[in-house]
Amino acid sequence: MNNIDRQYQSLLQDRLDNGVVKETRNGSTLSVFGRQIRHRMSEGFPLLTTKKMYFKGIVTELLWFLRGDTNIKFLVDNDCHIWDGDAWKNYCIKNKIISSEDEGGMLKSEFINKIKTDDEFAKTWGSLGPVYGKQWRSWKKPIKTIGDPKSSQQPIDQIANLINELKTNPDSRRLMVNAWNVGELDQMVLPPCHYGFQVYTRELSHDERFEIYKKVCGRDLQLHISGINFKQFHFDEYGVPKRAISLMWNQRSVDTFLGLPFNIASYGLLLEIIAKVVNMVPDELIGNLGDVHLYNNHIEQAKEQVTRTPYELPSLNINTEFWQTESGECGIGPLSKSVFISALSNDDFIRCLLEEDIQLGNYQSHPAIKAPLSN
């Protein structure tokens, strides 16, 4: 079943039918306010099939966030160019360059090549300021010291805190990560569009755990001793998850044609990764969308996409064979089940995730639809 493509097509049609014209900093749009999408992860990984998606770029960007990185060099080195325009625009503004013919000017392609080949240049001009990765992994908390009029800064790792809370207090209503740091917005090349997310967990029923067990073992559970307690103990021995986890993200500004499909898959992937860390089952993905807009130069593309019939959604697998050992090292070798479960208590392995650890299966789609990106 593929409801996410259908919901997305409805959003596109909604823009075409009901959008109001707005003149914005980067182009004219058809805009509406306040929409929501919901997807059951059990129905498949939410990568749209009504146009071919650049999954590699989605993975690369999310791993960049989770590493706490804010410099495009990591993205450029991994052939992901979705932030190139923002870095290039910042470079031109700071150097008062209007065109490549200006003194000291360079073509965008030359700029990106220099980011890739000149480490010092990349360090200065590849930085985007304290964007997502900085806020997720190193939010600065001002602390007043008695007798010291100056404030020191103590970083807060929101991802590590989230994982710790999920493992120790999974019913908390404070399982949140925020990227909207009002004290640092003016230092960012672009304030966060998707500015925060919240997760929620629930206990799995016995029947739900039993179905998971059958998938893991490939056979029915044979019991010689009756009783629910024995069954639950058996499930625990095989590391069968006890909880399901859902994720809801909030987004102030939504580029419906180019950005939203990327956001849906990215937060679906984040949910899968977090679920793997805390040994839970991905449940529901929810997006709360603010200013949902379609750029005028995306209208014809949107009209094409709404006519397409969705395919079945693909599957996703996160390879854990070479995840960290109990010592916290990465890439050592396969883990036993007991060591693997123990290793999940430490979120540092997230920084060790590689693109090849995330495997997409059975992805069938319509051809890509090209459209210009508005920076």
Side-chain angles (χ1 to χ4, degrees):
M1 185 182 297
N2 182 353
N3 288 320
I4 192 67
D5 264 290
R6 293 298 189 192
Q7 289 183 67
Y8 175 74
Q9 288 174 311
S10 294
L11 283 174
L12 286 179
Q13 192 64 55
D14 185 23
R15 294 310 79 72
L16 295 170
D17 295 341
N18 305 309
V20 297
V21 176
K22 284 197 171 188
E23 299 300 330
T24 71
R25 66 176 180 85
N26 55 355
S28 181
T29 67
L30 294 175
S31 171
V32 297
F33 184 67
R35 297 294 187 269
Q36 187 181 78
I37 59 169
R38 306 180 77 101
H39 172 67
R40 290 280 178 191
M41 297 297 287
S42 59
E43 295 177 2
F45 185 73
L47 189 68
L48 296 188
T49 68
T50 45
K51 67 178 178 184
K52 186 173 180 60
M53 295 290 297
Y54 180 44
F55 185 64
K56 179 183 184 297
I58 294 168
V59 173
T60 298
E61 186 197 42
L62 181 60
L63 295 185
W64 181 64
F65 290 162
L66 290 171
R67 283 168 166 76
D69 200 346
T70 59
N71 193 297
I72 67 165
K73 181 168 175 56
F74 174 85
L75 301 177
V76 171
D77 287 346
N78 287 278
D79 198 29
C80 179
H81 298 282
I82 57 178
W83 285 87
D84 288 4
D86 297 285
W88 163 244
K89 184 177 179 180
N90 181 59
Y91 170 80
C92 291
I93 292 172
K94 294 289 179 63
N95 288 280
K96 299 180 180 179
I97 297 171
I98 299 175
S99 72
S100 59
E101 283 72 38
D102 289 351
E103 183 178 353
M106 65 175 74
L107 296 173
K108 182 179 176 182
S109 59
E110 294 172 335
F111 171 81
I112 297 306
N113 185 61
K114 200 162 185 182
I115 291 288
K116 196 168 188 176
T117 58
D118 186 332
D119 289 344
E120 284 303 312
F121 183 85
K123 184 177 180 180
T124 301
W125 298 112
S127 174
L128 301 173
V131 292
Y132 298 97
K134 164 69 165 52
Q135 306 306 333
W136 285 14
R137 304 309 305 255
S138 189
W139 179 295
K140 283 190 177 178
K141 175 183 177 182
I143 300 176
K144 290 285 187 181
T145 304
I146 297 176
D148 184 356
K150 297 181 178 180
S151 293
S152 59
Q153 300 286 331
Q154 177 179 319
I156 299 173
D157 188 336
Q158 294 189 82
I159 297 295
N161 288 350
L162 173 67
I163 290 172
N164 181 64
E165 282 295 294
L166 281 168
K167 296 180 75 66
T168 59
N169 188 17
D171 286 320
S172 172
R173 296 187 292 268
R174 303 176 183 180
L175 303 171
M176 300 176 66
V177 171
N178 193 2
W180 193 263
N181 187 337
V182 295
E184 295 188 324
L185 292 179
D186 61 347
Q187 302 170 42
M188 305 177 191
V189 298
L190 180 69
C193 294
H194 43 101
Y195 58 87
F197 66 92
Q198 179 179 357
V199 297
Y200 171 93
T201 78
R202 64 174 179 84
E203 290 188 353
L204 293 168
S205 68
H206 174 270
D207 289 345
E208 287 176 312
R209 296 191 78 196
F210 181 67
E211 290 303 314
I212 295 169
Y213 174 88
K214 288 196 293 184
K215 289 179 182 178
V216 170
C217 297
R219 58 182 174 81
D220 287 343
L221 179 60
Q222 300 296 319
L223 292 179
H224 300 289
I225 301 176
S226 62
I228 292 295
N229 289 337
F230 177 82
K231 292 181 182 179
Q232 297 290 1
F233 174 77
H234 201 75
F235 293 159
D236 293 345
E237 283 288 289
Y238 275 85
V240 175
K242 296 180 179 180
R243 285 181 174 263
I245 181 171
S246 297
L247 183 150
M248 178 174 68
W249 87 90
N250 296 305
Q251 191 160 346
R252 64 172 180 87
S253 176
V254 186
D255 174 353
T256 311
F257 187 76
L258 287 180
L260 183 57
F262 216 89
N263 301 137
I264 293 169
S266 181
Y267 276 104
L269 178 56
L270 179 62
L271 175 55
E272 291 274 2
I273 291 172
I274 293 174
K276 187 71 73 172
V277 177
V278 296
N279 196 30
M280 295 182 186
V281 177
D283 198 2
E284 191 170 18
L285 179 69
I286 304 163
N288 291 321
L289 313 175
D291 185 323
V292 190
H293 49 268
L294 185 67
Y295 286 98
N296 277 4
N297 56 0
H298 295 169
I299 289 176
E300 294 306 313
Q301 292 91 328
K303 288 179 178 178
E304 165 64 22
Q305 192 166 354
V306 296
T307 66
R308 295 178 171 184
T309 302
Y311 293 103
E312 290 297 308
L313 292 175
S315 60
L316 184 86
N317 179 60
I318 299 176
N319 178 30
T320 59
E321 183 180 4
F322 297 103
W323 277 15
Q324 70 177 44
T325 64
E326 289 174 294
S327 65
E329 297 174 330
C330 302
I332 301 302
L335 307 178
S336 68
K337 188 174 293 293
S338 61
V339 174
F340 171 69
I341 297 301
S342 175
L344 295 181
S345 64
N346 189 338
D347 87 294
D348 285 345
F349 88 92
I350 287 178
R351 300 180 191 273
C352 302
L353 271 174
L354 300 174
E355 181 187 319
E356 51 264 36
D357 292 325
I358 298 167
Q359 302 156 356
L360 189 69
N362 304 315
Y363 181 50
Q364 185 179 9
S365 73
H366 290 268
I369 305 176
K370 293 185 177 181
L373 177 64
S374 298
N375 292 115

